[in-house]
């Protein structure tokens, strides 16, 4: 912990987690910390979120944001274990590409896709950086719970716009910023963090560290607009069936009934 670090709130699921401190953001330190976490821990603690799910309580099967992807060129940002690429491969996408900062996640994705008899071009790099992805090439760029790891939201959205053909679609999901402010326990919701606080923090999870910031919804909307995207649809609603499937007295499902825990944006390049 550096001298400026101060303890603060971080919320995962329904509860506050210990071991969170505010930090200064240095891009290269964040790359190093976060790639080490994903290389060593993967999704073992946080759990993978992959298509058809956009988050715990939102699914593509209900939302139908992609439509028919057959013959389409797809790029995933932060592909993790490769299961979302598999989803599109099985729906006859023409080309599958992905970028991820973690060598281990890329390796897992490569092995998974090979076992599914699918091929993909997988690139190990931070989403923020130039990494040889072709320009004006893709019909869809998408990201399932990975965009928020960027150290440069506007720069990343501009890069994503450059990868898309004109009228190409960019779809992403991330934790809803309101969810990151509220703790739920025994039917009581408590506002624990300032919604407007976008300061960077480091959190210790399962013996590993991750560094990130909780951005406001307007920060996402304004960065999309600056990068030349038009928002076609935004999903905040939790799916009743998915909440019910968690069973009774599940704090996270009870929280999701009261406020959005995930948001999904479907946008189009102008
Ligand atoms: C929560 S996972 C999401 C991936 C997949 N949907 C899943 O749940 O397994 C986040 C992924 O983003 C990757 N990631 C984190 N920071 C990144 C960055 N700056 N550039 C590219 N990928 C990044 C991680 O390596 C990890 O595979």
């Amino acid at each position: 912990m550096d001298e400026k670090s101060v303890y603060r709130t971080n919320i995962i699921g329904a509860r506050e987690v210990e071991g969170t401190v505010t930090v200064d953001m240095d891009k290269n330190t964040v790359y190093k910390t976060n790639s080490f976490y994903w290389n060593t821990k993967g999704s073992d603690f946080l759990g993978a979120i992959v298509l058809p799910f956009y988050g715990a309580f939102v699914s593509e099967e209900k939302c139908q944001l992609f439509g028919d992807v057959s013959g389409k060129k797809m790029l995933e940002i932060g592909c993790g274990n490769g299961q979302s690429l598999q989803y599109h491969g099985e729906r006859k996408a023409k080309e599958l590409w992905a970028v991820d900062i973690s060598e281990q996640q890329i390796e897992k994705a490569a092995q998974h896709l090979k076992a599914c008899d699918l091929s993909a071009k997988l690139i190990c790099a931070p989403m923020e950086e130039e990494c040889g992805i072709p320009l004006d090439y893709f019909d869809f760029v998408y990201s399932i719970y990975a965009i928020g790891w960027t150290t440069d939201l506007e720069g990343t959205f501009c890069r994503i716009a450059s990868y898309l053909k004109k009228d190409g679609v960019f779809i992403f999901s991330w934790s809803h910023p309101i969810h990151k402010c509220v703790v739920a326990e025994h039917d009581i919701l408590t506002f624990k963090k300032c919604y407007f606080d976008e300061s960077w923090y480091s959190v210790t999870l399962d013996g590993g560290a991750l560094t990130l910031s909780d951005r406001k919804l307007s920060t996402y909307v304004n960065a999309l607009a600056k990068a030349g995207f038009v928002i076609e649809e935004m999903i905040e609603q939790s799916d009743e069936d998915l909440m019910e499937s968690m069973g009774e007295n599940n704090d996270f499902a009870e929280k999701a009934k009261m406020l959005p825990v995930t948001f999904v944006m479907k946008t189009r390049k102008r």
Side-chain angles (χ1 to χ4, degrees):
M1 200 191 318
D2 64 42
E3 281 177 11
K4 288 186 189 142
S5 299
V6 283
Y7 287 96
R8 53 165 287 157
T9 295
N10 181 36
I11 293 155
I12 298 181
R15 295 198 176 76
E16 190 168 357
V17 290
E18 303 278 310
T20 308
V21 291
T22 303
V23 294
D24 286 335
M25 200 280 277
D26 169 71
K27 182 176 83 165
N28 292 315
T29 309
V30 175
Y31 290 169
K32 205 169 148 192
T33 305
N34 290 355
S35 59
F36 184 76
Y37 181 91
W38 295 107
N39 278 334
T40 50
K41 305 282 177 191
S43 307
D44 293 350
F45 181 79
L46 287 169
I49 301 165
V50 297
L51 288 172
F53 297 102
Y54 286 107
F57 307 108
V58 186
S59 84
E60 168 65 5
E61 271 146 23
K62 283 264 171 80
C63 300
Q64 292 292 309
L65 298 180
F66 281 94
D68 182 7
V69 299
S70 58
K72 302 295 185 196
K73 293 177 184 169
M74 323 286 294
L75 167 66
E76 179 163 5
I77 307 293
C79 63
N81 61 18
Q83 289 183 45
S84 299
L85 292 163
Q86 175 197 357
Y87 183 82
H88 289 309
E90 287 172 348
R91 280 154 187 79
K92 306 284 177 250
K94 184 177 173 191
E95 285 184 32
L96 301 173
W97 291 63
V99 60
D100 197 291
I101 199 169
S102 155
E103 284 165 29
Q104 280 307 313
Q105 295 286 76
I106 288 282
E107 183 52 33
K108 266 188 212 160
Q111 284 182 11
H112 179 70
L113 293 169
K114 194 172 167 203
C116 300
D117 210 15
L118 291 165
S119 66
K121 175 91 176 141
L122 304 175
I123 299 169
C124 186
M127 65 180 95
E128 297 91 325
E129 306 293 337
E130 203 290 312
C131 59
I133 296 172
L135 306 182
D136 298 313
Y137 189 77
F138 293 94
D139 300 291
F140 288 92
V141 177
Y142 67 96
S143 183
I144 313 299
Y145 267 76
I147 279 296
W149 296 110
T150 184
T151 55
D152 174 10
L153 191 67
E154 212 178 298
T156 300
F157 285 167
C158 287
R159 272 201 195 285
I160 289 170
S162 75
Y163 303 145
L164 281 165
K165 296 173 183 169
K166 184 173 181 310
D167 295 325
V169 170
F170 172 39
I171 296 171
F172 72 93
S173 66
W174 186 249
S175 297
H176 198 292
I178 278 288
H179 156 57
K180 297 296 289 183
C181 298
V182 176
V183 169
E185 252 172 335
H186 316 305
D187 287 344
I188 296 172
L189 298 179
T190 312
F191 221 93
K192 285 272 191 154
K193 174 193 163 264
C194 172
Y195 175 80
F196 303 108
D197 179 2
E198 295 191 330
S199 59
W200 282 77
Y201 60 93
S202 192
V203 56
T204 306
L205 293 175
D206 191 28
L210 282 166
T211 304
L212 71 161
S213 135
D214 301 330
R215 299 173 173 99
K216 307 184 293 285
L217 218 41
S218 56
T219 301
Y220 285 94
V221 170
N222 293 331
L224 285 167
K226 281 194 180 145
F229 287 106
V230 175
I231 296 172
E232 289 200 340
E233 194 167 344
M234 178 178 163
I235 312 269
E236 290 185 303
Q237 204 75 32
S238 298
D239 181 313
E240 296 276 343
D241 296 335
L242 292 174
M243 290 186 296
E244 293 304 324
S245 72
M246 300 279 263
E248 280 182 23
N249 301 323
N250 179 291
D251 282 338
F252 193 27
E254 290 306 312
K255 181 179 176 182
K257 284 181 190 164
M258 299 299 288
L259 55 85
V261 298
T262 295
F263 74 101
V264 189
M265 293 275 193
K266 178 179 180 182
T267 72
R268 197 174 290 272
K269 178 180 171 176
R270 275 192 294 223

